[in-house]
Each structure stands twice: as C-alpha cells, then as structure tokens.
Coordinates of all heavy atoms in Angstrom, one line a residue:
M888 N 5.9 3.7 26.3 CA 5.5 4.1 25.0 C 5.1 2.8 24.2 O 5.7 1.8 24.3 CB 6.7 4.8 24.3 CG 6.4 5.2 22.9 SD 7.7 6.1 22.2 CE 7.0 6.5 20.6
S889 N 4.1 3.0 23.4 CA 3.6 1.9 22.6 C 4.5 1.6 21.4 O 5.2 2.4 20.9 CB 2.2 2.2 22.0 OG 1.2 2.4 23.1
K890 N 4.4 0.3 21.0 CA 5.2 -0.1 19.8 C 4.7 0.6 18.6 O 3.5 0.7 18.4 CB 5.1 -1.6 19.7 CG 5.8 -2.2 18.5 CD 5.7 -3.7 18.5 CE 4.4 -4.2 18.1 NZ 4.4 -5.6 17.8
I891 N 5.6 1.1 17.7 CA 5.2 1.7 16.5 C 5.0 0.7 15.4 O 5.9 -0.2 15.3 CB 6.2 2.8 16.0 CG1 6.2 4.0 17.0 CG2 5.9 3.3 14.6 CD1 7.2 5.0 16.7
E892 N 3.9 0.7 14.7 CA 3.6 -0.2 13.6 C 3.3 0.5 12.4 O 3.1 1.8 12.4 CB 2.5 -1.1 14.1 CG 2.8 -1.9 15.3 CD 1.7 -2.9 15.7 OE1 1.2 -3.6 14.8 OE2 1.2 -2.9 16.8
Y893 N 3.1 -0.2 11.3 CA 2.7 0.5 10.0 C 1.7 -0.4 9.3 O 1.6 -1.6 9.5 CB 3.9 0.8 9.1 CG 4.5 -0.4 8.4 CD1 4.1 -0.8 7.2 CD2 5.4 -1.2 9.1 CE1 4.6 -1.9 6.5 CE2 6.0 -2.3 8.4 CZ 5.5 -2.7 7.2 OH 6.0 -3.8 6.6
R894 N 1.0 0.3 8.4 CA 0.0 -0.4 7.6 C 0.1 0.3 6.2 O 0.0 1.5 6.1 CB -1.4 -0.3 8.2 CG -2.4 -1.1 7.4 CD -3.7 -1.1 8.1 NE -4.7 -1.8 7.3 CZ -5.1 -3.0 7.5 NH1 -4.5 -3.7 8.4 NH2 -6.0 -3.6 6.7
D895 N 0.1 -0.5 5.2 CA 0.1 0.0 3.8 C -1.3 -0.1 3.2 O -1.9 -1.1 3.4 CB 1.1 -0.8 2.9 CG 2.6 -0.5 3.3 OD1 2.8 0.5 3.9 OD2 3.4 -1.4 3.0
F896 N -1.6 0.9 2.4 CA -2.9 0.9 1.7 C -2.6 1.0 0.2 O -2.2 2.1 -0.3 CB -3.8 2.1 2.2 CG -4.1 2.0 3.7 CD1 -3.3 2.5 4.6 CD2 -5.2 1.3 4.1 CE1 -3.5 2.4 6.0 CE2 -5.5 1.2 5.4 CZ -4.7 1.7 6.4
L897 N -2.6 -0.1 -0.4 CA -2.2 -0.3 -1.8 C -3.4 -0.1 -2.8 O -4.5 -0.4 -2.4 CB -1.6 -1.7 -2.0 CG -0.5 -2.1 -1.1 CD1 -0.1 -3.6 -1.3 CD2 0.7 -1.2 -1.3
P898 N -3.1 0.3 -4.0 CA -4.1 0.3 -5.0 C -4.6 -1.2 -5.3 O -3.8 -2.1 -5.3 CB -3.4 0.9 -6.2 CG -2.0 0.8 -6.0 CD -1.8 0.7 -4.5
K899 N -5.9 -1.3 -5.4 CA -6.5 -2.6 -5.6 C -6.4 -3.0 -7.1 O -6.6 -2.1 -7.9 CB -7.9 -2.7 -5.1 CG -8.0 -2.5 -3.6 CD -9.4 -2.6 -3.1 CE -9.5 -2.6 -1.6 NZ -9.1 -1.4 -1.0
E900 N -6.2 -4.2 -7.4 CA -6.3 -4.7 -8.8 C -7.8 -5.0 -9.1 O -8.5 -5.7 -8.3 CB -5.5 -6.0 -8.9 CG -4.0 -5.7 -8.8 CD -3.2 -7.0 -9.1 OE1 -3.6 -8.1 -8.7 OE2 -2.1 -6.9 -9.7
V901 N -8.2 -4.4 -10.2 CA -9.6 -4.6 -10.6 C -9.6 -5.3 -12.0 O -9.0 -4.8 -12.9 CB -10.3 -3.2 -10.7 CG1 -11.8 -3.4 -11.2 CG2 -10.3 -2.5 -9.4
K902 N -10.2 -6.5 -12.1 CA -10.2 -7.2 -13.3 C -11.0 -6.5 -14.4 O -12.1 -6.0 -14.1 CB -10.7 -8.6 -13.1 CG -9.8 -9.5 -12.3 CD -10.3 -10.9 -12.3 CE -9.3 -11.7 -11.5 NZ -9.1 -13.0 -11.9
R903 N -10.4 -6.4 -15.6 CA -11.0 -5.8 -16.7 C -11.9 -6.8 -17.4 O -11.5 -8.0 -17.5 CB -10.0 -5.4 -17.8 CG -9.7 -3.9 -17.8 CD -8.8 -3.6 -19.0 NE -7.5 -3.3 -18.4 CZ -6.3 -3.6 -18.9 NH1 -6.2 -4.2 -20.0 NH2 -5.2 -3.1 -18.4
G904 N -13.0 -6.4 -17.9 CA -13.9 -7.4 -18.6 C -13.4 -7.4 -20.1 O -12.4 -6.9 -20.4
G905 N -14.2 -8.0 -20.8 CA -14.0 -8.0 -22.3 C -13.1 -9.2 -22.7 O -12.7 -10.0 -22.0
L906 N -12.9 -9.2 -24.0 CA -12.2 -10.2 -24.7 C -10.7 -10.4 -24.2 O -10.3 -11.6 -24.0 CB -12.2 -10.0 -26.2 CG -11.5 -11.0 -27.1 CD1 -12.2 -12.4 -26.9 CD2 -11.5 -10.6 -28.5
F907 N -10.0 -9.4 -24.0 CA -8.6 -9.5 -23.6 C -8.3 -9.4 -22.1 O -7.2 -9.7 -21.7 CB -7.8 -8.4 -24.3 CG -7.9 -8.5 -25.8 CD1 -8.7 -7.6 -26.6 CD2 -7.2 -9.5 -26.5 CE1 -8.8 -7.7 -27.9 CE2 -7.4 -9.7 -27.9 CZ -8.1 -8.7 -28.6
G908 N -9.3 -9.1 -21.3 CA -9.1 -9.1 -19.9 C -8.0 -8.2 -19.4 O -7.9 -7.1 -19.9
G909 N -7.3 -8.7 -18.4 CA -6.2 -7.9 -17.8 C -6.7 -7.3 -16.5 O -7.8 -7.6 -16.0
V910 N -5.9 -6.4 -15.9 CA -6.3 -5.7 -14.7 C -6.0 -4.2 -14.8 O -5.1 -3.8 -15.5 CB -5.6 -6.3 -13.5 CG1 -6.0 -7.7 -13.2 CG2 -4.1 -6.2 -13.6
D911 N -6.8 -3.4 -14.1 CA -6.5 -2.0 -13.9 C -6.3 -1.9 -12.4 O -6.6 -2.7 -11.6 CB -7.7 -1.2 -14.3 CG -7.9 -1.1 -15.8 OD1 -6.9 -1.1 -16.6 OD2 -9.0 -1.2 -16.3
L912 N -5.7 -0.7 -12.0 CA -5.5 -0.5 -10.6 C -6.3 0.7 -10.2 O -6.5 1.7 -11.0 CB -4.0 -0.2 -10.3 CG -3.0 -1.3 -10.6 CD1 -1.6 -0.9 -10.4 CD2 -3.3 -2.5 -9.6
S913 N -6.8 0.6 -8.9 CA -7.6 1.8 -8.4 C -6.7 3.0 -8.3 O -5.5 2.9 -8.3 CB -8.2 1.4 -7.1 OG -7.2 1.1 -6.1
D914 N -7.3 4.2 -8.2 CA -6.5 5.4 -8.2 C -6.0 5.7 -6.8 O -6.4 5.0 -5.8 CB -7.3 6.6 -8.7 CG -8.5 6.9 -7.9 OD1 -8.7 6.4 -6.8 OD2 -9.3 7.7 -8.4
F915 N -5.1 6.7 -6.6 CA -4.5 7.0 -5.4 C -5.5 7.4 -4.3 O -5.4 7.1 -3.1 CB -3.4 8.1 -5.6 CG -2.7 8.4 -4.3 CD1 -1.7 7.6 -3.8 CD2 -2.9 9.6 -3.6 CE1 -1.0 7.9 -2.7 CE2 -2.2 9.9 -2.4 CZ -1.3 9.0 -2.0
G916 N -6.6 8.1 -4.8 CA -7.6 8.5 -3.9 C -8.3 7.4 -3.1 O -8.7 7.5 -2.0
S917 N -8.3 6.2 -3.8 CA -8.9 5.0 -3.1 C -8.0 4.5 -2.0 O -8.5 4.0 -1.0 CB -9.3 4.0 -4.1 OG -8.1 3.4 -4.7
C918 N -6.7 4.7 -2.2 CA -5.8 4.3 -1.1 C -6.0 5.2 0.1 O -6.0 4.7 1.3 CB -4.3 4.5 -1.6 SG -3.8 3.5 -3.0
V919 N -6.2 6.5 -0.1 CA -6.4 7.5 1.0 C -7.8 7.1 1.6 O -7.9 7.1 2.8 CB -6.4 8.9 0.5 CG1 -6.8 9.9 1.6 CG2 -5.0 9.2 -0.1
A920 N -8.8 6.8 0.8 CA -10.1 6.5 1.3 C -10.1 5.2 2.2 O -10.7 5.1 3.3 CB -11.1 6.3 0.2
D921 N -9.3 4.2 1.7 CA -9.1 3.0 2.5 C -8.5 3.3 3.8 O -8.8 2.7 4.9 CB -8.3 2.0 1.7 CG -9.1 1.4 0.5 OD1 -10.3 1.5 0.4 OD2 -8.4 0.7 -0.3
M922 N -7.5 4.2 3.8 CA -6.8 4.5 5.1 C -7.8 5.2 6.0 O -7.9 4.9 7.2 CB -5.6 5.4 4.8 CG -4.9 5.9 6.1 SD -3.7 7.2 5.9 CE -4.8 8.6 5.4
N923 N -8.6 6.1 5.5 CA -9.5 6.9 6.4 C -10.6 5.9 6.9 O -10.9 6.0 8.1 CB -10.2 8.0 5.6 CG -9.2 9.2 5.4 OD1 -8.5 9.5 6.3 ND2 -9.3 9.8 4.3
H924 N -11.0 5.0 6.1 CA -12.0 4.0 6.6 C -11.3 3.1 7.7 O -12.0 2.9 8.8 CB -12.4 3.1 5.5 CG -13.4 2.0 5.9 ND1 -14.7 2.2 6.2 CD2 -13.2 0.7 6.1 CE1 -15.2 1.1 6.6 NE2 -14.3 0.1 6.5
W925 N -10.1 2.7 7.5 CA -9.4 1.9 8.6 C -9.3 2.7 9.8 O -9.4 2.1 10.9 CB -8.1 1.4 8.0 CG -7.4 0.4 8.9 CD1 -7.5 -0.9 8.9 CD2 -6.4 0.7 9.9 NE1 -6.7 -1.5 9.9 CE2 -6.0 -0.5 10.5 CE3 -5.8 1.9 10.4 CZ2 -5.1 -0.5 11.5 CZ3 -4.9 1.8 11.4 CH2 -4.5 0.6 12.0
L926 N -8.9 4.0 9.7 CA -8.7 4.8 10.9 C -10.1 5.0 11.7 O -10.1 5.1 12.9 CB -8.2 6.2 10.5 CG -6.7 6.2 10.2 CD1 -6.3 7.5 9.6 CD2 -5.8 5.9 11.4
Q927 N -11.2 5.0 11.0 CA -12.5 5.1 11.6 C -12.8 3.8 12.4 O -13.4 3.9 13.5 CB -13.6 5.3 10.6 CG -13.6 6.7 10.1 CD -14.7 6.9 9.0 OE1 -15.2 5.9 8.5 NE2 -15.0 8.1 8.7
E928 N -12.3 2.7 11.9 CA -12.6 1.4 12.6 C -11.5 1.0 13.7 O -11.8 0.1 14.4 CB -12.6 0.3 11.5 CG -13.6 0.5 10.4 CD -15.0 0.3 10.9 OE1 -15.3 -0.6 11.8 OE2 -15.9 1.1 10.5
N929 N -10.4 1.7 13.7 CA -9.3 1.3 14.6 C -8.8 2.6 15.4 O -8.4 3.6 14.8 CB -8.1 0.8 13.8 CG -8.5 -0.5 13.1 OD1 -8.4 -1.6 13.7 ND2 -9.0 -0.4 11.9
A930 N -8.9 2.5 16.7 CA -8.5 3.6 17.6 C -7.0 3.5 17.8 O -6.5 2.8 18.6 CB -9.2 3.5 18.9
V931 N -6.3 4.3 17.0 CA -4.8 4.3 17.0 C -4.4 5.8 17.1 O -5.1 6.7 16.8 CB -4.2 3.6 15.8 CG1 -4.5 2.2 15.8 CG2 -4.5 4.3 14.5
N932 N -3.1 6.0 17.5 CA -2.5 7.3 17.4 C -1.6 7.4 16.1 O -0.7 6.6 16.0 CB -1.6 7.5 18.6 CG -2.3 7.5 19.9 OD1 -3.4 8.2 20.0 ND2 -1.9 6.8 20.9
V933 N -2.0 8.3 15.3 CA -1.3 8.4 14.0 C 0.1 9.1 14.3 O 0.1 10.2 14.9 CB -2.1 9.3 13.0 CG1 -1.2 9.5 11.7 CG2 -3.4 8.6 12.6
V934 N 1.2 8.5 13.8 CA 2.5 9.0 14.0 C 2.9 9.8 12.7 O 3.3 11.0 12.8 CB 3.5 7.9 14.3 CG1 5.0 8.5 14.3 CG2 3.2 7.2 15.6
Q935 N 2.6 9.2 11.6 CA 3.0 9.8 10.3 C 2.2 9.1 9.2 O 2.0 7.9 9.2 CB 4.5 9.8 10.0 CG 4.9 10.5 8.8 CD 6.4 10.7 8.8 OE1 7.0 11.0 9.7 NE2 7.0 10.4 7.6
V936 N 1.9 9.9 8.1 CA 1.4 9.3 6.9 C 2.3 9.7 5.7 O 2.8 10.8 5.6 CB 0.0 9.9 6.6 CG1 -0.6 9.4 5.3 CG2 -1.0 9.6 7.7
E937 N 2.7 8.7 4.9 CA 3.6 8.9 3.8 C 3.0 8.4 2.5 O 2.2 7.5 2.5 CB 4.9 8.0 4.0 CG 5.6 8.3 5.3 CD 6.8 7.3 5.5 OE1 6.7 6.2 5.1 OE2 7.8 7.8 6.1
T938 N 3.5 9.0 1.4 CA 3.2 8.5 0.1 C 4.5 7.8 -0.3 O 5.6 8.3 -0.2 CB 3.0 9.7 -0.9 OG1 1.9 10.4 -0.5 CG2 2.8 9.1 -2.3
V939 N 4.4 6.5 -0.6 CA 5.5 5.6 -1.0 C 5.4 5.2 -2.4 O 4.3 4.9 -2.9 CB 5.5 4.4 -0.1 CG1 6.7 3.5 -0.4 CG2 5.6 4.8 1.4
T940 N 6.5 5.2 -3.1 CA 6.5 4.7 -4.5 C 7.5 3.6 -4.6 O 8.7 3.8 -4.3 CB 6.9 5.9 -5.5 OG1 6.0 7.0 -5.3 CG2 6.8 5.4 -6.9
L941 N 7.1 2.4 -5.1 CA 8.0 1.3 -5.2 C 7.7 0.6 -6.5 O 6.6 0.6 -7.1 CB 7.7 0.2 -4.1 CG 8.0 0.7 -2.7 CD1 7.6 -0.4 -1.7 CD2 9.5 0.9 -2.5
P942 N 8.7 -0.1 -7.1 CA 8.5 -0.8 -8.3 C 8.0 -2.2 -8.1 O 8.2 -2.9 -7.1 CB 9.9 -0.9 -8.9 CG 10.8 -1.0 -7.7 CD 10.1 -0.1 -6.6
N943 N 7.1 -2.6 -9.0 CA 6.7 -4.1 -9.2 C 6.1 -4.7 -8.0 O 6.2 -5.9 -7.8 CB 8.0 -4.9 -9.7 CG 8.5 -4.4 -11.0 OD1 7.8 -3.9 -11.8 ND2 9.8 -4.4 -11.1
I944 N 5.4 -4.0 -7.1 CA 4.8 -4.6 -5.9 C 3.7 -5.6 -6.2 O 3.5 -6.5 -5.4 CB 4.4 -3.6 -4.9 CG1 3.3 -2.7 -5.5 CG2 5.5 -2.8 -4.3 CD1 2.6 -1.8 -4.5
H945 N 3.1 -5.6 -7.4 CA 2.1 -6.5 -7.8 C 2.7 -7.7 -8.6 O 1.9 -8.5 -9.1 CB 1.0 -5.8 -8.5 CG 0.1 -5.0 -7.7 ND1 -0.7 -5.5 -6.6 CD2 -0.1 -3.7 -7.6 CE1 -1.3 -4.6 -6.0 NE2 -1.0 -3.4 -6.6
S946 N 4.0 -7.7 -8.8 CA 4.6 -8.8 -9.6 C 4.5 -10.1 -8.9 O 4.7 -10.1 -7.6 CB 6.1 -8.4 -9.9 OG 6.7 -9.5 -10.5
I947 N 4.3 -11.2 -9.6 CA 4.3 -12.5 -8.9 C 5.7 -12.9 -8.4 O 5.8 -13.8 -7.5 CB 3.8 -13.6 -9.9 CG1 4.7 -13.7 -11.1 CG2 2.3 -13.3 -10.3 CD1 4.3 -14.9 -12.0
T948 N 6.7 -12.2 -8.8 CA 8.1 -12.6 -8.3 C 8.5 -11.7 -7.1 O 9.6 -11.9 -6.6 CB 9.1 -12.4 -9.5 OG1 9.1 -11.0 -9.9 CG2 8.8 -13.3 -10.6
E949 N 7.6 -10.8 -6.7 CA 7.9 -9.9 -5.5 C 6.9 -10.2 -4.4 O 5.9 -10.9 -4.6 CB 7.8 -8.5 -5.9 CG 8.7 -8.1 -7.1 CD 10.2 -8.1 -6.8 OE1 10.6 -8.4 -5.7 OE2 11.0 -7.9 -7.8
E950 N 7.2 -9.7 -3.2 CA 6.4 -10.0 -2.0 C 5.6 -8.8 -1.6 O 5.3 -8.6 -0.5 CB 7.3 -10.4 -0.9 CG 8.0 -11.7 -1.2 CD 9.1 -12.1 -0.2 OE1 8.9 -11.7 1.0 OE2 10.0 -12.8 -0.5
G951 N 5.3 -7.9 -2.5 CA 4.5 -6.7 -2.2 C 5.3 -5.6 -1.6 O 6.5 -5.5 -1.7
S952 N 4.6 -4.7 -0.8 CA 5.2 -3.5 -0.3 C 6.1 -3.8 0.9 O 6.9 -3.0 1.3 CB 4.1 -2.6 0.2 OG 3.4 -3.1 1.3
T953 N 6.1 -5.0 1.4 CA 7.0 -5.4 2.5 C 8.3 -6.1 2.1 O 9.2 -6.3 2.9 CB 6.3 -6.3 3.5 OG1 5.9 -7.5 2.9 CG2 5.1 -5.7 4.2
D954 N 8.4 -6.3 0.8 CA 9.6 -6.9 0.2 C 10.8 -6.0 0.3 O 10.7 -4.8 0.0 CB 9.4 -7.3 -1.3 CG 10.4 -8.3 -1.8 OD1 11.5 -8.4 -1.2 OD2 10.1 -8.9 -2.8
T955 N 11.9 -6.4 0.9 CA 13.1 -5.5 1.1 C 14.0 -5.5 -0.2 O 14.9 -4.7 -0.2 CB 13.9 -6.0 2.3 OG1 14.3 -7.3 2.1 CG2 13.1 -5.8 3.6
E956 N 13.7 -6.3 -1.2 CA 14.5 -6.3 -2.4 C 13.6 -6.4 -3.6 O 13.2 -7.5 -4.0 CB 15.5 -7.5 -2.4 CG 16.4 -7.5 -3.6 CD 17.4 -8.7 -3.5 OE1 17.5 -9.4 -2.5 OE2 17.9 -9.0 -4.6
L957 N 13.2 -5.2 -4.1 CA 12.4 -5.2 -5.3 C 13.3 -5.0 -6.6 O 14.2 -4.1 -6.5 CB 11.4 -4.0 -5.2 CG 10.4 -4.2 -4.1 CD1 9.6 -2.9 -3.8 CD2 9.4 -5.3 -4.4
H958 N 13.0 -5.7 -7.6 CA 13.8 -5.6 -8.8 C 13.2 -4.7 -9.9 O 12.0 -4.6 -10.0 CB 14.0 -7.0 -9.4 CG 14.7 -7.9 -8.5 ND1 14.0 -8.8 -7.6 CD2 16.0 -8.1 -8.3 CE1 14.9 -9.5 -6.9 NE2 16.1 -9.1 -7.3
A959 N 14.0 -4.0 -10.5 CA 13.6 -3.0 -11.6 C 14.3 -3.4 -12.9 O 15.4 -3.9 -12.9 CB 13.9 -1.6 -11.2
S960 N 13.6 -3.3 -14.0 CA 14.1 -3.6 -15.3 C 13.6 -2.6 -16.3 O 12.9 -1.6 -15.9 CB 13.8 -5.0 -15.7 OG 12.4 -5.1 -16.0
S961 N 13.8 -2.9 -17.6 CA 13.2 -2.0 -18.6 C 11.7 -2.0 -18.6 O 11.1 -1.2 -19.2 CB 13.8 -2.3 -20.0 OG 13.5 -3.6 -20.3
H962 N 11.1 -3.1 -18.0 CA 9.6 -3.2 -18.0 C 9.1 -3.0 -16.6 O 8.1 -3.6 -16.2 CB 9.2 -4.6 -18.5 CG 9.7 -4.8 -19.9 ND1 9.1 -4.2 -21.0 CD2 10.7 -5.6 -20.4 CE1 9.7 -4.6 -22.1 NE2 10.6 -5.5 -21.8
T963 N 9.7 -2.1 -15.9 CA 9.3 -1.9 -14.5 C 8.1 -1.0 -14.4 O 7.9 0.0 -15.2 CB 10.5 -1.2 -13.7 OG1 11.6 -2.0 -13.7 CG2 10.1 -0.8 -12.3
L964 N 7.1 -1.4 -13.5 CA 6.0 -0.6 -13.2 C 6.1 0.0 -11.8 O 6.5 -0.8 -10.9 CB 4.7 -1.4 -13.3 CG 4.4 -1.9 -14.7 CD1 3.1 -2.9 -14.6 CD2 4.1 -0.8 -15.7
W965 N 5.9 1.2 -11.6 CA 6.0 1.9 -10.3 C 4.7 2.1 -9.8 O 3.7 2.5 -10.5 CB 6.8 3.2 -10.4 CG 8.2 3.0 -10.8 CD1 8.7 2.8 -12.0 CD2 9.3 2.9 -9.9 NE1 10.1 2.6 -11.9 CE2 10.5 2.7 -10.6 CE3 9.4 3.0 -8.5 CZ2 11.7 2.6 -10.1 CZ3 10.7 2.9 -7.9 CH2 11.8 2.7 -8.7
Y966 N 4.5 1.8 -8.5 CA 3.2 1.9 -7.8 C 3.3 2.9 -6.6 O 4.3 2.9 -5.9 CB 2.8 0.6 -7.2 CG 2.6 -0.5 -8.3 CD1 3.7 -1.3 -8.7 CD2 1.4 -0.6 -8.9 CE1 3.5 -2.2 -9.7 CE2 1.2 -1.6 -9.9 CZ 2.3 -2.4 -10.3 OH 2.2 -3.3 -11.3
Q967 N 2.3 3.8 -6.5 CA 2.2 4.8 -5.5 C 1.1 4.3 -4.5 O 0.1 3.9 -4.9 CB 1.9 6.1 -6.1 CG 1.9 7.2 -5.1 CD 1.7 8.6 -5.8 OE1 2.0 8.7 -6.9 NE2 1.2 9.5 -5.1
F968 N 1.4 4.4 -3.2 CA 0.5 4.0 -2.2 C 0.7 4.8 -0.9 O 1.6 5.6 -0.8 CB 0.5 2.5 -1.9 CG 1.8 2.0 -1.4 CD1 2.1 1.9 0.0 CD2 2.8 1.6 -2.3 CE1 3.3 1.4 0.4 CE2 4.1 1.1 -1.8 CZ 4.3 1.0 -0.4
V969 N -0.2 4.6 0.1 CA -0.1 5.3 1.4 C 0.4 4.4 2.4 O -0.1 3.2 2.5 CB -1.5 5.8 1.8 CG1 -1.5 6.5 3.1 CG2 -2.1 6.8 0.7
R970 N 1.3 4.8 3.2 CA 1.8 4.1 4.4 C 1.5 4.9 5.6 O 1.9 6.1 5.7 CB 3.3 3.9 4.3 CG 3.9 3.1 5.5 CD 5.3 2.6 5.3 NE 5.2 1.5 4.4 CZ 6.3 1.0 3.7 NH1 7.4 1.6 3.8 NH2 6.1 -0.1 3.0
L971 N 0.8 4.3 6.6 CA 0.5 4.9 7.8 C 1.3 4.3 8.9 O 1.4 3.1 9.1 CB -1.0 4.6 8.1 CG -1.6 4.9 9.5 CD1 -1.6 6.4 9.6 CD2 -2.9 4.3 9.7
W972 N 2.0 5.2 9.7 CA 2.8 4.8 10.9 C 1.9 5.1 12.1 O 1.4 6.3 12.1 CB 4.1 5.5 10.9 CG 5.0 5.1 9.9 CD1 5.2 5.7 8.6 CD2 5.9 4.0 9.9 NE1 6.1 5.0 7.9 CE2 6.6 4.0 8.6 CE3 6.3 3.0 10.8 CZ2 7.6 3.0 8.3 CZ3 7.2 2.1 10.5 CH2 7.9 2.1 9.3
Y973 N 1.7 4.2 13.0 CA 0.8 4.5 14.2 C 1.3 3.7 15.4 O 2.1 2.8 15.3 CB -0.6 4.1 13.8 CG -0.8 2.6 13.6 CD1 -1.2 1.7 14.6 CD2 -0.5 2.0 12.3 CE1 -1.3 0.4 14.4 CE2 -0.7 0.7 12.1 CZ -1.1 -0.2 13.1 OH -1.2 -1.5 12.9
S974 N 0.7 4.1 16.5 CA 0.9 3.3 17.8 C -0.4 3.1 18.3 O -1.4 3.8 18.0 CB 1.8 4.1 18.8 OG 1.2 5.3 19.1
A975 N -0.5 2.1 19.2 CA -1.8 1.7 19.8 C -2.3 2.8 20.6 O -1.6 3.5 21.3 CB -1.6 0.4 20.6
S976 N -3.6 2.9 20.6 CA -4.3 4.0 21.4 C -4.1 3.6 22.9 O -4.2 2.5 23.3 CB -5.7 4.1 21.0 OG -6.3 5.1 21.8
A977 N -4.0 4.7 23.7 CA -3.9 4.4 25.2 C -5.3 4.2 25.8 O -5.3 3.9 27.0 CB -3.3 5.7 25.8
N978 N -6.3 4.2 25.1 CA -7.7 4.0 25.6 C -7.9 2.6 26.0 O -7.6 1.6 25.6 CB -8.8 4.4 24.6 CG -8.7 5.9 24.3 OD1 -8.1 6.6 25.0 ND2 -9.2 6.2 23.1

C-alpha cells in the first residue's frame, strides 16, 4: 500500500489597492478550483476530501495549516480551506 499524504488548498491573500491597502482572501470556491487543477496535474488516488476550519493560519505568529498549536483570542480570524488526503497512483 502507498503512503498516505495530504495537501491543503488555502485561500490566497490578495492585496487591496487604494490608500489604506490591506488584504482580502479568495473565496472557498477558489480553494476547490485549486484542488481540481492540482488533481488534473497529478495522478493520485483520492482517499478523502475535507473542509477544515482553523484559526489564524495567516498570522505571522503561526505556521499555517500545518501548525499543531494555533492560538485563539478575542481577535481570532477563522479560515476555511480544503484538505485532500491521497496516495500515490499505482501507474
């Protein structure tokens, strides 16, 4: 049996223009589209697809979706993304 691996498809940060700047995040549909594009480019066996919600994954004090200890506070932002579990194709 092949080793099971995972890949996260996170919302992308898009810089806002204008005087005050800042960033917006792409919508959940773009996470699904990114996963589908990756699947077209990579011959893998899909084990499971999950919707994951985690706090503060874009914070400079966190390590993203792979961080095992994410901190939440009164100013916590929650992020929803797609996690794909797969194994290498037998081809």
Side-chain angles (χ1 to χ4, degrees):
M888 181 175 181
S889 298
K890 177 174 80 168
I891 294 177
E892 300 183 50
Y893 74 93
R894 182 174 179 97
D895 291 336
F896 298 89
L897 305 172
K899 293 182 176 63
E900 291 184 325
V901 180
K902 291 191 182 209
R903 255 187 251 144
L906 180 62
F907 298 106
V910 296
D911 290 319
L912 295 174
S913 59
D914 64 13
F915 184 76
S917 69
C918 299
V919 175
D921 289 347
M922 177 191 66
N923 285 322
H924 177 75
W925 188 86
L926 285 170
Q927 288 177 343
E928 301 290 321
N929 296 274
V931 298
N932 296 313
V933 175
V934 175
Q935 183 166 318
V936 178
E937 301 174 330
T938 299
V939 180
T940 305
L941 293 174
N943 301 327
I944 59 174
H945 287 295
S946 171
I947 60 172
T948 61
E949 304 293 355
E950 297 172 26
S952 64
T953 60
D954 196 340
T955 58
E956 184 179 345
L957 295 167
H958 298 93
S960 69
S961 61
H962 299 288
T963 296
L964 296 175
W965 291 83
Y966 299 89
Q967 184 174 334
F968 61 94
V969 175
R970 177 168 285 161
L971 170 69
W972 293 92
Y973 66 93
S974 61
S976 179
N978 297 341

